[in-house]
Each structure stands twice: as C-alpha cells, then as structure tokens.
Amino acid sequence: MSKTRFPANLPAPDRSALLREALLAADFTADGLLDLLGAPAYAALARSETVPALRATRGDSPLEALVRLFLLQRTVPCGRARAVLPLDEAIADGWLVEDGGGVRATVDVRPYGGPDGQDWFIVSDLGCAVGGAGGASGSDEAVVLGVGGASTTLAGITVRTPVPSALDVGTGSGIQALHASQHATRVTATDLNPRALGFTRLTLALSGAPEADLREGSLFEPVGSQTYDLIVSNPPFVISPGARLTYRDGGMGGDDLCRSLVQQAGDRLNEGGFAQFLANWQHVEGEDWQERVRSWVPRGCDAWIVQREVQDVTQYAELWLRDGGDHRTPPEEYAARYDAWLDEFEARGTKAVGFGWITLRKSGSDRPSVVVEEWPHPVEQPLGETVRAHFERQDYLRARDDAGLLTDAFVLAPEVTQEQVGPPGAEDPEHVVLRQNRGMRRATRVDHVGAGFAGVCDGTLGAGRILDAIAQLLGEDPVLLRDRTPGAIRLLVEEGFLDPVPGAS
C-alpha cells in the first residue's frame, strides 16, 4: 500500500468547518452565485471568462467579496475579508495569504450543488476550476483541475445505489469521491499526483463530507488486490505525444491507459458491482473501432459502451493544444507541437479519436452482454438510473428465450410518445416512430404491428395474447406473427421502450 504524502503548501483542513459555516452564511453557494451574477455571467465564469463576473461584483456585499477572493483571484481588503470570514484562522491554515493591505486566496474554492440540494465546495488550483487548464496554460506543473464538463458527465451517469465500498481512480480534486461519499459506506480515492490527494481532502472537508481513504499511486496499484462495489474514473485519457501535463496525459502510448484501466477493473469488482469510466479510443485504419473497445471488456463482465463524439486527428490535436495554452506560444513552437501530434497519430495509423462512456458490471455470466453503440444525440442527465436499468434489462433478456418472452407482459415506459410520419392528408402513415423524452432520448421506427403492440402494453396481458389479438384484427396467421415478432420485442426492451412484467399469462 502506498503511503500518502500531502503537500505542505496546501491549506490545512482541520478548521474547514469554520470556513464552511462562513461561506454558507454569506450564501456562497451555487444558487447564490446564480442569483448574484445572473445567467450570462454565471455561464461565462464556467467558460473561464471572468470579465462579466468582475462587473457583477463591484458592490460591497459579503458574497461579492467572496466571489472576487475565491473565484476571480483578486486581492480583497483585510477589513472586507474579516467581515465575512474567520480571517486569522484562514490565514493561519493557508487558505489566504496577506498581500499588501489585503488578502488573496491560495486555492480556488467553487460552490457546487449536490444531487439532493447539498451545498458543496470543490477546491482546486488557482485558475484551474473549469474546462481547460486556464491558469496552468502551457505549464508542466502537476496542476489539479476543478469542476469541468467531463467530471459532471461522469457524476451524472454513475449508478447511485447504496454500496459498502467505492473507489475513485485518479480522483483529481475529489468530485467523484464527494458524490460517492453520499451512498458508499467506505470511499477510497487514488491519484498519481499527491497534490490531487491534498485537494480531495480539502474538497471533502469543506463540503462537510466524510473523510476518504486517500492513496498515492498509478491506476489500481495503490489498492493492490482489494475489491469494490463501485469503481469510477475520469482518467487522464488524452492521446498525446508524451506526458507533459499530468492532469490530462496518461503517460502510456495511444489509448493504452484507458484499455489498461478497463481491463484491470474486472478483478477489482465485487459480484454485481459497477465500474464506470470516461475514455478516449483510437479509430485505426482498417480496424473496427467497436471491436477495438469490445476487446477491452474483462472476462465475467457485462458492458455498455457509448461513443458520444468523434474527432479527426487535426481537430483533436487542436483541441488539446488550446487546452494546454500552446496556441499562445510563438508560432514556430505551436507548429512543432502540432506536428508532433500528427506524427504520433500517423505512426499509429490513427485517423480519428472517439470519446465516450464505458460501464462494466460484474455479472459472472458465461454469456456476457456487451453493447457497443454510437449515440451523439442529446441525453437527459442524470443517467445513473438509466444505466442501472439497462443492465437489469440485459439480465432479463439473457434469461428469456422467445417462448418465455411471449408469456410475459410488458408496460410502455414512462415518457414514451408516438409519432406518425407521412405526407399530410395521407390515410396511413409511412411509418411510426416511438420516442423517449427522458434518459437517452432514443427514437426507433416500428411497423404497424410494433406500434399496435406497444400501444396496448399496460402490464395486464401477455405478449403472446396481444399478438394473437393483433393477428385476428389484421387477418394474419397468429403462429407466423408469434414467430417473427420476438426480435422486435427484444429490441424495444433492450432500448428501454418497454419494461417487462414477468409472470403474466
């Protein structure tokens, strides 16, 4: 087991409850920020644009002082700071330092709303609260980022059932560990960067959350052979030439880090446990990307892999060059780094890079369910319950042959609507579309039998009896209809349009 070394230049968390009380008293919360700044300035701050927030905080209220201090990294006069904070303790513990006649923050403290209305705070390096590295632009330092789109995406898709143990691999500023602390009895968080573990400790303490077991090291090395009921990771998945920036570049070639993380997770999961990751994967010339990521799935695990976005190699390189601040370097330096990215991709035969979600569930089945799909369309977060239900449906379908499927009843899932598509005035539609208005927001085309079947599924009649009635109505052979329909029913169940009600007759 690795020994955790907390950096000495980070604030001490011992009296964080005192600081938390002061922040809450001034309404330094996610809702308080939105009320103070207004939607445009609040959104701009999430893009690391500070000018609108500076304009909105020119008054003298306690909340405006805190925004300037902890979010905008401005020096605040000691008198103003003392009026809202336990100033002496904050300076002594290292949250603030004196600067002329005022004080300034040593870390970024950002309000973050929990899923059940909790007032949390994410602590990170200055200028690194969101999205790209911001203030760390072009730096080789092992900076620690705060809240970004990737971290909130992972938090949203994570299954939130109560569990005895959870592991956050590559914890960063501790967002995933903070979420896990609300439904896991024991939380372990690891990171190769000791600064990250220090920030996670601060995030948990300032948010009033239980302490976590913090361990330094790479991937699963710090936990040895221990197993968990939930594993989450937003790893440094960027496919780059080298490991210049610790927060994003994993130090392995190509997508090897993501592959290793996924493959090794199977041995660290308890039966029925989930492992959920964000990842990048290469699209290699002459290779099916779906087969590539499918090969990562460890034995004994079901998997649901969703590709959300694909970028060609030039788009991908430009995105991460901007993230690292390389677009601000001299043109010849920028060009050299851009060229190095393209050399890396050319050497690996990489034509594009995919980004998405990978969820594993330890099922132990000798017939694992591995679903790999592309879904770039809008979804409705949080999706944790949608993810959990997906694997429950896979269990159901795996246990039912066609005869068993036809004995069960089904109910149309909530928020599913039907659309009829065809020219205006036509007697019959060209086709019918079932559409989900929640979760994955899928849409699927069905024929008139499928539309009629879904429309009468209320959980009272078995599927076979419904098909017999439809056959009689359409003048079709009921045996033939029973033979050709189970595949369509399976698809509607798998995609979440129909929920099974086993045991009907």
Side-chain angles (χ1 to χ4, degrees):
M1 183 186 303
S2 300
K3 182 175 177 59
T4 302
R5 299 177 290 112
F6 296 114
N9 61 344
L10 293 183
D14 303 345
R15 290 184 286 191
S16 56
L18 194 62
L19 179 58
R20 172 179 170 81
E21 183 180 338
L23 298 179
L24 294 178
D27 203 20
F28 188 62
T29 64
D31 289 341
L33 284 186
L34 182 58
D35 290 342
L36 171 67
L37 301 179
Y42 188 83
L45 193 60
R47 301 190 300 269
S48 296
E49 296 290 347
T50 59
V51 172
L54 283 167
R55 293 175 60 85
T57 56
R58 291 180 290 192
D60 58 0
S61 72
L63 180 55
E64 287 167 294
L66 292 176
V67 171
R68 283 186 163 253
L69 191 62
F70 286 115
L71 298 184
L72 303 178
Q73 284 89 59
R74 294 301 192 271
T75 298
V76 170
C78 286
R80 287 193 66 190
R82 190 178 296 279
V84 65
L85 293 172
L87 187 61
D88 295 336
E89 291 85 350
I91 292 174
D93 291 345
W95 295 93
L96 305 174
V97 293
E98 296 180 271
D99 183 18
V103 291
R104 56 181 173 81
T106 62
V107 292
D108 187 294
V109 176
R110 187 155 304 238
Y112 178 73
D116 298 316
Q118 302 98 327
D119 290 315
W120 288 340
F121 301 97
I122 309 299
V123 188
S124 64
D125 272 311
L126 294 173
C128 301
V130 294
S137 299
S139 172
D140 294 336
E141 185 183 0
V143 297
V144 177
L145 303 187
V147 181
S151 54
T152 55
T153 293
L154 179 58
I157 68 172
T158 300
V159 176
R160 296 296 175 194
T161 52
V163 291
S165 61
L167 171 65
D168 177 12
V169 179
T171 186
S173 56
I175 299 167
Q176 310 307 326
L178 179 58
H179 277 278
S181 72
Q182 303 304 294
H183 63 99
T185 304
R186 174 173 56 88
V187 176
T188 302
T190 71
D191 206 290
L192 184 63
N193 181 3
R195 286 180 60 78
L197 299 175
F199 277 115
T200 294
R201 183 169 67 155
L202 295 174
T203 289
L204 295 172
L206 195 56
S207 298
E211 293 182 3
D213 179 6
L214 304 176
R215 304 187 189 183
E216 182 183 341
S218 178
L219 300 183
F220 294 107
E221 179 271 329
V223 300
S225 60
Q226 287 184 268
T227 57
Y228 299 85
D229 303 290
L230 173 67
I231 298 172
V232 292
S233 182
N234 176 19
F237 52 67
V238 177
I239 300 171
S240 62
R244 191 163 56 92
L245 298 174
T246 302
Y247 72 87
R248 69 171 200 194
D249 304 320
M252 297 186 188
D255 52 18
D256 284 353
L257 182 136
C258 292
R259 175 184 56 79
S260 298
L261 185 63
V262 174
Q263 289 181 337
Q264 294 174 21
D267 291 335
R268 272 75 177 191
L269 277 177
N270 292 326
E271 195 71 21
F274 286 91
Q276 300 188 257
F277 315 100
L278 301 186
N280 273 179
W281 43 79
Q282 297 172 116
H283 286 226
V284 177
E285 195 74 41
E287 178 182 86
D288 185 338
W289 73 266
Q290 293 190 339
E291 289 306 311
R292 183 182 189 86
V293 294
R294 187 185 299 270
S295 71
W296 296 358
V297 178
R299 185 184 301 273
C301 288
D302 296 337
W304 185 18
I305 301 171
V306 182
Q307 180 167 273
R308 295 287 290 155
E309 184 179 0
V310 180
Q311 291 185 322
D312 67 48
V313 292
T314 60
Q315 292 174 311
Y316 189 83
E318 290 162 14
L319 169 67
W320 294 108
L321 285 166
R322 287 194 302 272
D323 172 87
D326 295 299
H327 59 301
R328 301 191 190 98
T329 61
E332 62 275 9
E333 186 176 333
Y334 174 81
R337 284 185 172 167
Y338 197 154
D339 213 31
W341 283 77
L342 297 186
D343 284 345
E344 173 83 4
F345 287 133
E346 184 177 347
R348 295 181 176 278
T350 304
K351 59 183 179 178
V353 178
F355 167 81
W357 319 326
I358 298 178
T359 299
L360 307 176
R361 188 194 53 168
K362 188 71 168 286
S363 66
S365 173
D366 57 0
R367 292 188 298 127
S369 164
V370 179
V371 176
V372 184
E373 63 174 321
E374 186 165 14
W375 190 254
H377 311 294
V379 299
E380 183 183 59
Q381 288 273 34
L383 283 168
E385 180 59 24
T386 299
V387 172
R388 186 199 60 76
H390 166 88
F391 287 94
E392 280 197 350
R393 291 194 299 270
Q394 297 304 315
D395 282 344
Y396 168 81
L397 292 171
R398 183 162 43 204
R400 289 292 192 281
D401 59 15
D402 287 353
L405 195 73
L406 294 179
T407 65
D408 287 341
F410 300 88
V411 61
L412 195 64
E415 307 294 333
V416 172
T417 58
Q418 176 179 300
E419 301 173 4
Q420 297 188 356
V421 180
E427 183 174 344
D428 295 312
E430 289 183 357
H431 59 266
V432 175
V433 172
L434 298 181
R435 186 178 302 277
Q436 300 168 349
N437 292 300
R438 303 291 297 274
M440 293 294 287
R441 292 182 171 172
R442 297 186 187 276
T444 189
R445 183 184 297 191
V446 293
D447 60 16
H448 60 289
V449 173
F453 180 86
V456 298
C457 280
D458 61 2
T460 59
L461 290 177
R465 293 178 62 186
I466 292 176
L467 291 177
D468 291 344
I470 291 175
Q472 183 176 12
L473 184 65
L474 298 178
E476 293 194 25
D477 185 329
V479 175
L480 293 179
L481 190 60
R482 279 177 173 248
D483 285 345
R484 67 179 173 88
T485 306
I489 296 175
R490 286 184 181 277
L491 182 62
L492 291 176
V493 172
E494 180 175 323
E495 295 191 340
F497 290 93
L498 293 177
D499 293 326
V501 184
S505 61

